[in-house]
């Protein structure tokens, strides 16, 4: 009987000792956040011409639902290590992780958000308020939610990033499939898909080998056998390793919020631009001198492009936008593209020049101005990123300055959107974490996590996700951390549960094609009705 009672308590059952205090704090934060979101949204919509409230509400609920599912699907990986090493009780760990996911979202730059959006067909982004645009947003969000819920139900740590990329590719392919024969409809930017795909592919491989290597290095430097064995009591680890584990859990949670939260932000901005363009198509809150800066950068960029117009090549003013759009769709730069882009920049600059600020642009011009700026920005990518038009270093600097000014007007995220996504992600973390935590903590290796394994896996995960966030690339928290845990199990000689590893690999392989198929089918179906 003594042996039974002395057996350590399961890590998920450890009481926090704080009673209902954490739950009360969470409720207060949620209520305060919701109050701010409603107030800020209402303020932004004050000057809107017409607001289809039902459509806006449904669209926002679906987008935030994706982030909610993302929270209890992906973020559970971050807390598994501190729970199974008894560094924090499960309840405290989940709330702690949810809070730092919240902070990560609030401080994110938006680079990942617009990198993901750039995978979408450009004409759907420019006409997101149309039936095709709404079908695009709803189909990719619903496809991502369905796959995330399915893998969560079976306790599989599949990647929300992977799922979203697959859904976007499926929509792009469906857009091409439905296009009339001979039309120049864009599908998928395969070069951007390749860059994002490589980050998703390489990160788990890095996670496996780097986490395993780091554990071996730790065993060589810190020769304390207790750090590399399964905890045998309910006592927490030594203070320094406990502090390290909590720190790495904090960093993984923060960087997960900063990276993954941006996917929802980008999609919410597409929804807002499509449903209420007069309020959200242009950034109406830049600094006071912004418009003057934009006008100067526009004139300089036009002059720089003029240096590369071939003699005798001209474009009629009415054809400029079509010529630039063709270059963006086909990613082919012709002799006519340069004068067309110069002319479109001059036309757009002329449209907003009479106004003192972006906020003064009349509602009837907002959508067209935004679309023209967005199209110009996408065309400039073909110069400064794709190098389709060779230019001098000085002219490239001028073009990049104008590119940044145009992006500042069309690619922005209001603070209330960040707060809404942060709340959804944080709440998701605190609701459905248990299934994924059990998989990571108990079913990857043949033994439970040790202190050293948890530290090594989370250090590598935090560093990898942080680096990807800095470079503006999406990365899978799920794949990095679960592969890191697997790497430490292999390095520690703990053995791997091959059935779980096989299921993880299967989810990793199937996520892209299934998400593509779901979004493809949903887009085709929705286009029959909207």
């Amino acid at each position: 009987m003594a042996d039974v009672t002395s057996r350590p308590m399961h890590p998920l059952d450890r009481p926090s000792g704080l009673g209902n205090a954490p739950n009360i704090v969470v409720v207060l934060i949620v209520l305060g956040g919701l109050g701010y979101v409603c107030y800020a949204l209402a303020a932004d919509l004050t000057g809107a011409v017409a607001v289809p409230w039902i459509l806006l509400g449904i669209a926002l609920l679906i987008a935030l639902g994706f982030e909610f599912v993302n929270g209890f699907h992906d973020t559970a990986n971050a807390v598994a290590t501190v729970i199974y090493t008894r560094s924090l009780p499960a309840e405290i760990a989940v709330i702690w992780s949810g809070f730092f996911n919240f902070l990560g979202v609030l401080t994110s730059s938006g680079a990942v958000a617009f990198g993901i959006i750039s995978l979408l067909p450009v004409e759907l982004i420019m006409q997101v308020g149309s039936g095709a645009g709404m079908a695009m947003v709803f189909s990719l969000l619903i496809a991502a939610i369905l796959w995330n819920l399915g893998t969560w139900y079976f306790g599989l740590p599949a990647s929300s990033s992977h799922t979203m990329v697959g859904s976007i590719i499926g929509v792009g392919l469906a857009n091409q499939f439905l296009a009339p024969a001979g039309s120049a409809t864009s599908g998928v930017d395969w070069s951007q898909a390749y860059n994002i795909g490589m980050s998703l592919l390489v990160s788990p491989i890095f996670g496996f080998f780097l986490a395993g290597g780091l554990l071996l290095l730790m065993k060589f430097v810190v020769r304390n056998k207790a750090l590399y064995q399964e905890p045998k009591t309910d006592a927490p680890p030594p203070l320094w390793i406990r502090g390290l584990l909590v720190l790495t859990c904090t960093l993984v949670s923060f960087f997960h919020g900063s990276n993954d939260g941006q996917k929802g932000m980008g999609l919410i901005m597409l929804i807002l631009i499509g449903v209420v363009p007069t309020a959200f198509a242009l950034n109406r809150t830049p600094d006071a001198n912004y418009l003057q800066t934009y006008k100067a950068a526009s004139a300089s960029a036009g002059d720089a492009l003029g240096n590369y117009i071939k003699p005798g090549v001209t474009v009629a003013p009415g054809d400029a936008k079509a010529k630039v759009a063709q270059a963006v769709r086909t990613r082919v730069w012709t002799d006519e593209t340069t004068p067309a882009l110069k002319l479109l920049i001059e036309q757009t600059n002329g449209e907003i020049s009479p106004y003192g600020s972006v906020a003064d642009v009349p509602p009837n011009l907002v959508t067209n101005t935004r679309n023209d700026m967005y199209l110009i920005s996408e065309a400039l990518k073909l110069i400064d990123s794709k190098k389709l038009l060779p230019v001098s270093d000085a002219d490239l600097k001028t073009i990049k300055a104008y590119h940044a000014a145009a992006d500042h007007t069309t690619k922005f995220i209001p603070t209330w959107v960040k707060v809404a996504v942060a709340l959804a992600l944080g709440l998701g973390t605190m609701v459905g974490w248990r299934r994924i935590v059990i998989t990571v903590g108990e079913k990857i290796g043949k033994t439970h996590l040790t202190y050293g394994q948890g530290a090594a896996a989370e250090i590598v995960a935090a560093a990898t996700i942080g680096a990807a966030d800095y470079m503006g690339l999406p990365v899978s928290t799920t794949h990095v951390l679960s592969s890191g845990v697997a790497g430490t199990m292999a390095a520690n000689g703990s053995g791997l549960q091959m059935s779980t590893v096989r299921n993880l690999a299967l989810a990793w392989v199937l996520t892209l094609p299934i998400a593509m198929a779901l979004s493809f089918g949903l887009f085709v179906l929705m286009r029959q009705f909207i």
Side-chain angles (χ1 to χ4, degrees):
M1 191 71 176
D3 290 336
V4 174
T5 57
S6 63
R7 189 176 300 161
M9 183 181 298
H10 192 279
L12 298 181
D13 297 328
R14 288 180 64 207
S16 67
L18 297 179
N20 287 324
N23 296 327
I24 294 173
V25 172
V26 169
V27 170
L28 291 176
I29 291 174
V30 170
L31 291 177
L34 286 175
Y36 168 75
V37 168
C38 293
Y39 170 80
L41 175 59
D44 281 348
L45 293 175
T46 300
V49 175
V51 181
W53 289 102
I54 296 177
L55 177 60
L56 178 62
I58 293 172
L60 289 178
L61 282 175
I62 293 175
L64 293 173
F66 166 74
E67 286 300 339
F68 179 81
V69 175
N70 186 1
F72 68 68
H73 196 287
D74 277 19
T75 316
N77 293 277
V79 299
T81 53
V82 290
I83 293 174
Y84 274 87
T85 57
R86 294 172 171 79
S87 298
L88 286 175
E91 181 184 7
I92 300 301
V94 170
I95 293 174
W96 183 270
S97 179
F99 176 73
F100 281 96
N101 265 278
F102 185 94
L103 289 184
V105 174
L106 290 183
T107 57
S108 59
S109 65
V112 174
F114 297 113
I116 284 284
I117 287 176
S118 66
L119 284 173
L120 291 165
V122 66
E123 70 270 12
L124 293 185
I125 297 175
M126 291 175 60
Q127 304 298 332
V128 71
S130 65
M134 287 291 101
M136 170 191 71
V137 173
F138 285 127
S139 59
L140 69 89
L141 279 172
I142 293 171
I145 290 172
L146 288 175
W147 180 245
N148 274 349
L149 283 174
T151 51
W152 167 82
Y153 179 79
F154 291 103
L156 295 176
S159 165
S160 294
S161 301
H162 226 149
T163 305
M164 180 57 67
V165 170
S167 298
I168 289 173
I169 292 175
V171 165
L173 293 175
N175 186 55
Q176 280 188 322
F177 174 76
L178 293 177
S183 63
T185 300
S186 62
V188 178
D189 182 349
W190 290 110
S191 61
Q192 178 72 357
Y194 173 81
N195 292 335
I196 292 175
M198 285 303 295
S199 73
L200 293 171
L201 173 66
V202 172
S203 54
I205 299 173
F206 266 55
F208 183 91
F209 288 103
L210 289 180
L214 180 58
L215 180 68
L216 293 176
L217 179 62
M218 289 171 60
K219 293 178 78 169
F220 178 78
V221 176
V222 184
R223 298 177 180 274
N224 183 344
K225 291 184 178 180
L227 297 180
Y228 313 109
Q229 297 174 351
E230 180 182 343
K232 294 182 170 55
T233 69
D234 290 327
L239 184 61
W240 71 271
I241 195 74
R242 186 183 189 187
L244 179 61
L245 286 163
V246 172
L247 175 63
T248 52
C249 169
T250 303
L251 291 175
V252 170
S253 301
F254 178 85
F255 287 130
H256 174 266
S258 179
N259 194 284
D260 272 38
Q262 294 191 53
K263 303 176 185 69
M265 291 181 207
L267 293 171
I268 287 175
M269 288 312 299
L270 282 183
I271 291 168
L272 294 172
I273 291 167
V275 177
V276 202
T278 54
F280 297 103
L282 294 178
N283 183 3
R284 294 177 175 270
T285 57
D287 60 83
N289 299 321
Y290 165 73
L291 199 56
Q292 298 306 316
T293 302
Y294 173 83
K295 293 175 183 177
S298 173
S300 298
D303 292 341
L305 287 170
N307 297 328
Y308 304 94
I309 297 176
K310 294 185 177 180
V313 179
T314 60
V315 173
D319 295 336
K321 186 171 183 177
K323 294 289 185 183
V324 175
Q326 182 180 12
V328 171
R329 278 195 297 266
T330 62
R331 297 172 187 88
V332 175
W333 197 277
T334 68
D335 291 345
E336 291 183 325
T337 305
T338 308
L341 179 58
K342 181 179 186 299
L343 191 56
L344 184 59
I345 290 173
E346 292 170 351
Q347 290 172 347
T348 305
N349 192 22
E351 288 176 355
I352 65 173
S353 289
Y355 309 104
S357 71
V358 177
D360 296 331
V361 176
N364 62 308
L365 291 181
V366 166
T367 300
N368 285 339
T369 301
R370 181 257 177 186
N371 285 346
D372 289 348
M373 285 187 173
Y374 187 89
L375 185 59
I376 290 168
S377 178
E378 292 300 298
L380 292 175
K381 283 183 183 178
L382 302 178
I383 300 175
D384 60 25
S385 298
K386 309 297 184 184
K387 311 299 182 185
L388 296 188
L389 177 67
V391 299
S392 68
D393 291 342
D395 287 336
L396 182 61
K397 183 177 180 181
T398 300
I399 289 170
K400 284 185 174 181
Y402 174 67
H403 193 177
D407 280 352
H408 188 51
T409 309
T410 59
K411 298 178 180 179
F412 66 99
I413 300 173
T415 302
W416 72 262
V417 172
K418 292 185 176 184
V419 172
V421 170
L423 287 174
L425 196 62
L427 281 175
T429 302
M430 289 180 271
V431 170
W433 53 273
R434 185 176 290 263
R435 288 178 184 269
I436 306 298
V437 164
I438 290 174
T439 297
V440 175
E442 299 181 23
K443 297 182 179 180
I444 293 178
K446 293 183 178 179
T447 63
H448 287 205
L449 278 170
T450 68
Y451 306 134
Q453 288 173 326
E458 291 231 310
I459 288 172
V460 169
T464 303
I465 300 167
D469 192 45
Y470 176 78
M471 293 184 288
L473 291 171
V475 70
S476 168
T477 301
T478 300
H479 288 163
V480 173
L481 193 54
S482 58
S483 63
V485 170
T488 62
M489 291 290 177
N492 203 44
S494 305
L496 295 170
Q497 295 190 40
M498 296 312 297
S499 59
T500 301
V501 173
R502 184 174 58 252
N503 289 338
L504 291 173
L506 191 62
W508 183 77
V509 170
L510 292 178
T511 291
L512 269 180
I514 289 181
M516 288 167 59
L518 283 172
S519 63
F520 185 103
L522 285 169
F523 183 81
V524 172
L525 180 64
M526 289 184 185
R527 288 300 289 130
Q528 308 308 310
F529 301 101
I530 59 176

